[in-house]
Amino acid sequence: MKDVQSAVDQLGASLAHPVLVEDARHRPIWWSAQGQVDGTRMRTILQHEVEPAARAVVARLGLARARGPVRTPAAPEADMLPRWCVPLRSGRELLGYLWVLDGDETVTEQHLPQIVACADLAASYLAQSPMTSAGRVRRRAALLARLAAGPDDNAARDLIALEELDPLVTVVVNAPRAGNGAEAGWPLRGDMSVHASPPPGAAATSGPPLPLAQLHLAVRRASLTRQVIRAGAVLARPSFDALGSWHLIASAPADLAVADIHPGAEVLVRQRRPDLMITARTVLDYGGDIAKAAAQLHIHRTTLYYRLDRIEALTGVSLKTGPERDDLHMALRLAAFRLADAPGARSGRPAS
């Protein structure tokens, strides 16, 4: 810590301007005492807080996304003088900021190499420093979010180092989030959980384990499986590797319309009540077995026969013997899958 403080003091003395290093939440860590200061710097150091107006300036200028030094203008509404800002990073992860106040605007680009050198030293220290429990959780969550969004080898390496994992670690994803305690895994947005190094044969929504760097693929598989289940699929187990023919539904291109498979499905979906759509799905799921379908729907056979007549009149398909049953069945599944894209949407299956 003394090495970074010494570097900050030396930079401040060399520039004859105040230098401040903050963490990513704008809490001060190191600072120098040279030169003119403004209200935001005083409050940051003395009160360990940054007012909303100053945070708004940081957000408006996109400083958290900057990849190098940024010259920021004065912001009187936030009591901020002109300054230089260098985001501190480890890979793509934001660790904090180095600020050089420049009220007289005499710090120029020729001074940037020594400013960046000090920022790199501070970033290296922050990246290697032991974390508090809360800091560790925040950093893990940030790395998981990056891995869930897409391939990111740097994030995978950082997470392996942070959690001291086997470099060949594999992961699965559960949706909804699994359990409590040691089995709860790491939380992800969307009510999901990530589980590293799952035991052999462990059931997971995303199916078999994948390398950590492919977490985004496990997240997609878990999301699709959950959507299939919302659509009313009856699976041997709630897992991606148990989808069977539902894989065809889950992988259908977005430009494939339900009516392209069979227009009758769209007619049933548009009905004011879902009874006919649910009935058609159930009868087709049971291969035309009227007794089993009536029991599943909790209706009398007479009611079921009435609905079958209505379905045939609307779609032109006989669910007992019609040659277009397979097309209608697949179209109804696709319709239910797309309706299930949002939680709480109706599916093509009755509640059980």
Side-chain angles (χ1 to χ4, degrees), residues 143-157:
L143 293 170
L144 287 171
R146 286 166 53 185
L147 287 163
D152 192 326
D153 290 337
N154 289 332
R157 284 193 294 268

Side-chain angles (χ1 to χ4, degrees), residues 21-27 29-30 63-64 66-67 86-98 119-129 131 135 138-139 142-143 146 158 162:
V21 176
E22 304 172 328
D23 66 14
R25 299 175 67 189
H26 300 291
R27 295 175 297 195
I29 306 173
W30 303 284
L63 299 181
R67 307 304 297 181
V86 184
L88 309 180
R89 298 187 180 280
S90 174
R92 289 168 53 187
E93 182 182 2
L94 179 68
L95 302 175
Y97 303 88
L98 182 146
D120 287 346
L121 179 63
S124 177
Y125 180 89
L126 291 175
Q128 298 174 18
S129 296
M131 292 188 175
R138 285 195 299 271
R139 188 173 184 195
L143 293 170
R146 286 166 53 185
D158 288 350
L162 177 68

Side-chain angles (χ1 to χ4, degrees), residues 66-83:
R67 307 304 297 181
V70 177
R71 183 80 168 86
T72 67
E77 74 279 9
D79 199 3
M80 294 175 68
L81 293 170
R83 62 230 298 139

Side-chain angles (χ1 to χ4, degrees), residues 33 41 47 74 88 100 115 120 130 133 153-154 198 225 250 257 295:
R41 177 185 165 96
Q47 301 175 20
L88 309 180
V100 178
I115 295 173
D120 287 346
S133 177
D153 290 337
N154 289 332
T225 302

Side-chain angles (χ1 to χ4, degrees), residues 151-175:
D152 192 326
D153 290 337
N154 289 332
R157 284 193 294 268
D158 288 350
L159 184 60
I160 287 169
L162 177 68
E163 298 295 336
E164 300 180 350
L165 302 171
D166 185 320
L168 299 179
V169 63
T170 59
V171 292
V172 295
V173 173
N174 277 308

Side-chain angles (χ1 to χ4, degrees), residues 26-37:
H26 300 291
R27 295 175 297 195
I29 306 173
W30 303 284
W31 58 90
S32 68
Q34 287 80 17
Q36 179 186 8
V37 298

